[in-house]
Amino acid sequence: MKSPKIKDIKVIFTEPDNIRLIIVKILTDQDGLYGVGCATFTQRPNPVKYAIEDYLKPFLIGKEVNNIEDIWQSSYVSSYWRNGPVLNNALSGVDQALWDLKGKMADMPLYDLFGGKTREAAAVYVHSSGDSNEEVGDKMQAFIEEGFHHIRVQVSTPGYSTYGNKSAKAGDKTLTNNDPTLGPIPVTKRLKDYSDGKLYAHPGGVFEPKPYLRSALSLFEYIRDRFGYGIEILHDVHERIPPILGVWFAKEVEKYQLFFLEDLFSPEDNEYFNMVRAQSSTPIAMGELYSSPHEIVPMIKNRLIDFIRIHISDIGGLTPAKKIAAMGEIFGVRTAWHGPGDTSPIGHAANLALDLSCYNFGIQEYSIFGENTKEVFPGCPVVKQGMMWSNDKPGLGIDIDEKLAKKFPFKEREYGGAWDTVRRADGSMVKP
Ligand code: GCO
Ligand code: MG
């Protein structure tokens, strides 16, 4: 079949539910035939847009859309220096749009193109967060009644900034300095000093590892007391603790039988996963911060993780993700693609195409789509009874309503939308 050619490449910015999303649309020389892809790097949208409009677009106009692998390989090295979240998100937007086009031309949903379904639907996990163990438990109960079976649990550490919850605000009265790990300096004073009061994407504050670890362990004890072991619970450390405490924590939580423990370390501390493997059988998930094959391959090759948590657009799209999933299958590592609010519904549809077709699927993270988001993206994957279902339409099976998307322009943000600045009580930076 003669391949259509790329006629234009558009970048669409929209934030229907207060999270900045980046979409790529590839128009072909066949009227009405186009593809869509996710290029969402919510903290740095502009460089992704420039990388597409100023570099990939002139490089790709006129190329045949059939040749996805050749376009991916040549685009990947067209910058000579490669990898990293900016260039990979730009590449992902193009790549996912080409796969969407491939499915439309073959009149097949993408999972069929990838070898067909290995399961009817993809089990998802949702987030239960709260300022107390009881609040987390109550939200869990509601999710269980909706049919969810996998739930990520995160609780606030009283008086501190905690990932996955409202953070302590400056001068938070619940702060106490009778915590032996903090020493004599009045913590309340420190918090007032360091919070600059500006609005971050995630409000910052003071984080201390030991109070966090104690509150997380008390949460797991509470959850297992209240719900038993019939429900799967997950937890995201979000890289904030000194690595050796991560090794200790992975051992401490064994008795709570987590489905997985996520982001114990920052990517810079990958070597510590060797220690965890030697001392603990807690299932380990890592990957959302990886944006290069150099970070990913050793983790799979050495079986240092149980779940691949990669943010697919951060590694360049479906073309590399398919290969990483296949490598995972050979090494017994399962997939758990990153699925936060800052993955667009188009990105979630791309996750789902792999979830349904890969034998070594593990679990799919699902951040509940907002009402505006569902309007802007007709064909959003449907989630019911704790599972994500494909609509079986050709390609990714989802679209973007450009007119509606324009009604949700990017809002102004402090510092352009920086990730929150979280500091230790002594003022030193906490690395996410
Ligand atoms: C998760 C992630 C997210 C990230 C966010 C960064 O497990 O879903 O940790 O919450 O923090 O996607 O922009
Ligand atoms: Mg995470």
Side-chain angles (χ1 to χ4, degrees), residues 125 152 163 236 238-239 262-263 288 309 338 365:
Y125 74 87
R152 189 187 82 175
Y163 164 71
D236 189 348
H238 219 268
E239 311 100 22
E262 176 185 347
D263 283 26
E288 68 182 58
R309 277 279 300 143
H338 193 216
E365 179 179 19

